[in-house]
């Protein structure tokens, strides 16, 4: 056993940080820095600011001028380019490695959930509703494509950059902490797994990630049936007159479907395709097929929820009375919903991953 452990350490310990995941993040940062500097110089295509995006009031940089906002974006791109170049050095002092990892996580969080607003969430939530209503011509005269503007596409670019930085930081930390580059397991303890106990949090996280969307769905379906759950009777009547109740029920149905899919992260059918599915019945569910969509949804849930929390904190919708609780509470809880969903997805991954083909480690 000792000899096997020595082989593992001899194989992986000398390996320096590589550019496997850092390079894409560095390229994204460099390209984005150039584009942002163009915007800072007054170039066309700047996607933020009320002058260019009338719906930018809820964006964290939306009220800044083009010069101010573009300067911040350029600084993010330049810092990312420098950090990525440093991460690719073969040897780094421990304090510098820790600082670079901190920057990487800050970039990942900032780009994925702080800079974007609620609109990616709206598009993702309404897409199934529009697809179901398409054969029936509902909603009349409305196209989901109208909502996919350049500012929204730019937010998708930011989220993509944040995900690249998350991957780069994970890879960097693995390669600077004597962990297996392939699976992240600690190589200092005979290949002992480094799951951080996430697998044990799977069921509690799924319970939260199922309960919160059902809370949202309950309020929206109650309104459709004339029950003013959490809102006043006058607000319910106004929503009925505007035709918003059907759309709300549709979003509630999407939330219910999401809750059902989330249960698969702890159910047998989430690991093996059920028998009623032709062609793929009985086959193992690919881990990424379950985790990647869940993590993407988690990101846009957190970003959308933080937008509305900022709106409430800033007083943008005035004081929230008890009559508005049913409308706002499920929305304000979306960051918790997204965080629980992310933990559930990572716990699912840790529970299902087998022995690593590179280091032989197992949980």
């Amino acid at each position: 056993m000792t000899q096997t452990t020595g082989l593992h350490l001899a194989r992986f310990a000398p390996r320096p940080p590589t550019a496997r995941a850092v390079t894409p993040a560095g390229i994204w940062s460099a390209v984005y820095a150039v584009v942002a500097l163009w915007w800072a110089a007054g170039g066309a295509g700047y996607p933020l600011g009320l002058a260019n995006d009338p719906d930018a009031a809820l964006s964290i940089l939306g009220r800044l001028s083009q010069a101010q906002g573009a300067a911040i974006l350029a600084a993010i791109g330049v810092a990312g380019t420098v950090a990525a170049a440093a991460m690719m050095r073969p040897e780094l002092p421990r304090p510098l490695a820790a600082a670079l990892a901190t920057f990487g996580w800050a970039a990942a969080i900032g780009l994925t959930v702080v800079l974007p607003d609620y609109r990616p969430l709206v598009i993702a939530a309404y897409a199934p509703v529009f697809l179901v209503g398409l054969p029936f011509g509902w909603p009349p005269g409305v196209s989901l494509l109208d909502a996919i503007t350049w500012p929204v596409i730019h937010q998708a670019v930011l989220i993509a950059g944040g995900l690249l930085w998350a991957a780069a930081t994970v890879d960097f930390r693995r390669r600077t902490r004597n962990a297996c580059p392939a699976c992240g397991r600690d190589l200092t303890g005979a290949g002992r797994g480094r799951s951080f106990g996430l697998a044990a949090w799977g069921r509690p996280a799924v319970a939260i990630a199922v309960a919160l969307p059902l809370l949202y769905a309950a309020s929206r379906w109650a309104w459709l049936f004339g029950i003013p759950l959490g809102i006043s009777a006058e607000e319910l009547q106004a929503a009925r007159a505007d035709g918003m109740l059907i759309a709300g029920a549709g979003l509630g149905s999407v939330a219910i479907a999401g809750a059902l899919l989330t249960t698969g992260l702890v159910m047998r059918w989430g690991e093996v395709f059920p028998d009623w599915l032709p062609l793929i019945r009985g086959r193992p569910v690919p881990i990424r097929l379950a985790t990647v969509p869940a993590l993407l949804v988690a990101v846009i849930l957190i970003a959308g929820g933080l937008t509305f929390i900022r709106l409430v904190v800033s007083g943008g919708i005035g004081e929230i009375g008890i009559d508005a609780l049913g409308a706002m509470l499920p929305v304000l809880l979306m960051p918790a919903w997204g965080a629980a969903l992310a933990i559930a997805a990572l716990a699912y991954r840790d529970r299902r991953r087998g022995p690593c083909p590179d280091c032989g480690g197992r949980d």
Side-chain angles (χ1 to χ4, degrees):
M1 186 63 142
T2 304
Q3 182 180 5
T4 303
T5 303
L7 289 175
H8 288 326
L9 293 176
R11 181 179 177 187
F12 288 105
R15 294 178 66 177
T18 70
R20 185 181 66 174
V22 175
T23 297
I27 293 174
W28 182 94
S29 297
V31 172
Y32 193 80
V34 171
V35 175
L37 287 171
W38 161 259
W39 291 334
Y46 180 67
L48 302 178
L50 294 176
N52 305 302
D53 180 15
D55 296 323
L58 298 184
S59 300
I60 195 168
L61 300 180
R63 296 187 180 277
L64 298 181
S65 66
Q66 177 168 336
Q68 293 170 331
I72 293 175
L73 297 178
I76 293 173
V78 171
T81 305
V82 174
M87 285 180 172
M88 288 186 280
R89 292 176 60 86
E91 294 183 4
L92 292 170
R94 187 180 297 272
L96 179 57
L100 289 172
T102 301
F103 171 85
W105 286 123
I109 293 171
L111 291 170
T112 54
V113 302
V114 177
L115 292 181
D117 57 33
Y118 68 100
R119 284 173 286 182
L121 174 61
V122 169
I123 291 173
Y126 270 103
V129 178
F130 274 77
L131 288 175
V132 171
L134 186 62
F136 309 100
W138 187 90
V142 179
S143 172
L144 186 63
L145 295 178
D146 294 337
I148 306 178
T149 60
W150 163 234
V152 176
I153 295 173
H154 173 255
Q155 292 189 30
V157 172
L158 293 178
I159 292 173
L163 295 176
L164 288 176
W165 267 107
T169 307
V170 168
D171 186 63
F172 176 73
R173 293 299 286 164
R174 286 177 178 178
R175 297 174 183 275
T176 55
R177 298 186 64 179
N178 199 28
C180 173
C183 70
R185 290 179 172 95
D186 187 1
L187 296 176
T188 61
R192 185 171 61 248
R194 296 181 63 244
S195 64
F196 301 99
L198 278 179
W201 288 91
R203 290 189 177 277
V206 166
I208 295 172
V210 168
L212 293 181
L214 292 181
L215 174 65
Y216 177 90
S219 63
R220 272 54 184 177
W221 273 97
W223 299 346
L224 183 65
F225 288 104
I227 303 172
L229 181 61
I231 61 176
S232 65
E234 292 77 12
E235 289 172 325
L236 179 61
Q237 187 59 37
R240 187 182 301 278
D242 291 339
M244 297 299 296
L245 297 185
I246 296 179
L251 293 179
S253 299
V254 172
I256 292 173
L260 177 62
L261 290 173
T262 300
T263 62
L265 297 175
V266 291
M267 302 291 286
R268 173 65 177 170
W269 61 265
E271 299 181 11
V272 178
F273 287 112
D275 292 337
W276 53 268
L277 287 174
L279 302 179
I280 58 175
R281 65 182 57 160
R283 296 184 180 182
V285 176
I287 294 177
R288 290 183 180 180
L289 181 63
T291 56
V292 172
L295 292 173
L296 287 175
V297 171
V299 165
I300 62 176
L301 281 170
I302 295 173
L306 289 178
T307 302
F308 290 107
I309 290 176
R310 290 198 301 267
L311 182 64
V312 172
V313 171
S314 66
I317 57 175
E319 294 185 3
I320 299 179
I322 191 65
D323 286 341
L325 187 61
M328 290 302 301
L329 182 59
V331 176
L332 297 178
L333 290 175
M334 281 182 177
W337 175 4
L341 182 58
I343 293 172
L346 294 175
Y348 171 91
R349 182 210 60 179
D350 281 0
R351 189 181 74 252
R352 286 200 57 201
R353 67 178 182 171
C356 177
D358 279 19
C359 71
R362 62 178 68 237
D363 294 326

